[in-house]
Amino acid sequence: MAQYLLRRFATITLAMWLIVTITFAIMHAIPGGPFASEKKVPDAVKRNLEARYHLNDPLYKQYVDYLKNLLRGDLGPSFKYEYRTVNSIIKESFPVSAILGSLAIAFSLLVGLLAGIISALRQNRWQDYTAMILATLSFSVPSFILSGLLMYVFAYKLQWLPPAMWGTWQQAILPTLALSALPTAFIARLTRSSMLEVLQQDYLKTARAKGLSERAIVVRHALRNAILPVVTYVGPLIATVLTGSFVVESIFAIPGLGRWFVLSVTNRDYTVILGTTVFYSAFLMAMNFLVDLAYVAIDPRIKLVDRRDV
């Protein structure tokens, strides 16, 4: 176990270094810079701005300085927003994305698992067909189209909900529905296929022969074994949704991390691009590691050991 954890830590560290290096190289390979769009700024002022943020230093020095600051937890200042740092931007925007993402994940798990279980138990009946048609529609409609459709119907036509912004529970409903549509459909289909496979196992036939109720068979035995593919999907999903859906946050004008990432790419704000990429990557790897731990908790037959230790 200890060797597995050490190897996993080394793998994560190497992956993070590669992500930082590749992102840094790609950003500086693109022509232009953070102040290239400032057309009215005289050359002397532009040179002073680049000197202030050390953009006129050799590229290798900028890279080494960034790595040193990263090890201290300092993601640097924003080039576009004066007196703002990347740390403060993440600290301010991540809670908004986390709340929206938590609502979307809770909705996806609740509706997706329920739809998948009902669909498997009622295979080839109207409940199964209805759930799978809705899942296919959710797969087929991109989030930006679904967001516009929800705004048009519920905000413009019916005027039941506010169209955008963030701060009240009413403003959270439409972006939550738009963000959770795809994961809900995916979880429903995963749960259905896994449940259909597990329901054919001999041990469930034995459980039925012993007189266990259908509810006990499904909840205690079938779902526990059928949920492993869903857990595999939920780990990266949590990292993706909690750190912000770029499109949904932009459409609904939500001040989350995804919106800042989009703005930083538009503005060529190097440090914000790198900072949000590093934060997202670290979060994603942490979620994948927690998924591995969840495997052991759900199925005791799974052991966290390296193959070379077996």
Side-chain angles (χ1 to χ4, degrees):
M1 182 69 174
Q3 288 186 352
Y4 170 82
L5 293 176
L6 285 174
R7 289 195 182 103
R8 191 64 185 268
F9 178 76
T11 305
I12 291 176
T13 304
L14 177 62
M16 288 301 302
W17 173 73
L18 286 173
I19 289 170
V20 172
T21 303
I22 293 172
T23 308
F24 186 91
I26 291 175
M27 284 191 320
H28 288 82
I30 300 174
F35 308 110
S37 60
E38 306 292 346
K39 297 179 181 178
K40 297 181 181 179
V41 175
D43 290 340
V45 175
K46 184 179 175 181
R47 284 195 294 273
N48 287 335
L49 285 172
E50 291 177 344
R52 176 182 176 183
Y53 293 108
H54 304 286
L55 290 174
N56 53 358
D57 288 346
L59 203 56
Y60 74 88
K61 187 176 185 306
Q62 294 182 45
Y63 174 69
V64 172
D65 288 343
Y66 186 82
L67 287 181
K68 288 179 181 176
N69 292 331
L70 183 62
L71 291 175
R72 292 195 296 266
D74 182 5
L75 298 174
S78 168
F79 292 161
K80 284 293 180 181
Y81 300 95
E82 199 171 6
Y83 307 120
R84 299 292 304 270
T85 64
V86 181
N87 294 63
S88 68
I89 289 173
I90 293 176
K91 184 179 179 181
E92 177 186 299
S93 58
F94 177 65
V96 176
S97 295
I99 292 172
L100 175 61
S102 300
L103 292 173
I105 290 170
F107 183 86
S108 301
L109 286 174
L110 180 64
V111 178
L113 286 174
L114 192 61
I117 293 171
I118 293 174
S119 184
L121 295 176
R122 300 288 186 270
Q123 187 182 15
N124 296 328
R125 299 181 185 176
W126 69 268
Q127 297 96 331
D128 184 21
Y129 295 137
T130 304
M132 289 304 101
I133 288 173
L134 291 175
T136 304
L137 284 174
S138 299
F139 264 122
S140 307
V141 180
S143 59
F144 63 91
I145 293 180
L146 182 60
S147 300
L149 185 64
L150 290 172
M151 291 171 72
Y152 178 76
V153 174
F154 293 102
Y156 178 69
K157 281 293 182 182
L158 300 177
Q159 297 185 350
W160 288 353
L161 296 168
M165 304 305 290
W166 184 258
T168 65
W169 65 269
Q170 293 95 334
Q171 292 171 330
I173 293 177
L174 293 184
T176 299
L177 292 176
L179 194 56
S180 60
L182 179 61
T184 301
F186 204 83
I187 290 173
R189 293 181 70 90
L190 273 179
T191 306
R192 179 183 181 274
S193 61
S194 298
M195 284 289 291
L196 286 175
E197 185 179 347
V198 171
L199 287 173
Q200 303 302 320
Q201 299 295 319
D202 290 337
Y203 70 93
L204 289 184
K205 296 176 183 176
T206 305
R208 289 193 180 92
K210 287 182 177 179
L212 286 179
S213 66
E214 193 66 22
R215 180 178 179 181
I217 291 172
V218 171
V219 175
R220 293 181 188 174
H221 301 287
L223 184 60
R224 187 169 184 176
N225 288 303
I227 205 171
L228 283 178
V230 178
V231 173
T232 304
Y233 172 66
V234 167
L237 171 68
I238 291 175
T240 303
V241 174
L242 289 189
T243 49
S245 171
F246 308 148
V247 176
V248 173
E249 287 186 0
S250 297
I251 291 176
F252 289 97
I254 297 172
L257 195 57
R259 180 168 170 269
W260 276 103
F261 183 79
V262 173
L263 290 174
S264 67
V265 172
T266 306
N267 294 329
R268 301 287 302 277
D269 200 341
Y270 289 161
T271 49
V272 178
I273 295 173
L274 265 172
T276 50
T277 302
V278 167
F279 182 78
Y280 172 80
S281 303
F283 202 78
L284 178 63
M285 293 179 193
M287 289 299 105
N288 283 332
F289 179 65
L290 291 179
V291 166
D292 290 346
L293 297 180
Y295 284 154
V296 180
I298 294 172
D299 190 346
R301 294 172 298 179
I302 299 176
K303 303 295 181 185
L304 287 181
V305 293
D306 196 282
R307 288 184 178 179
R308 285 172 289 186
D309 298 333
V310 177

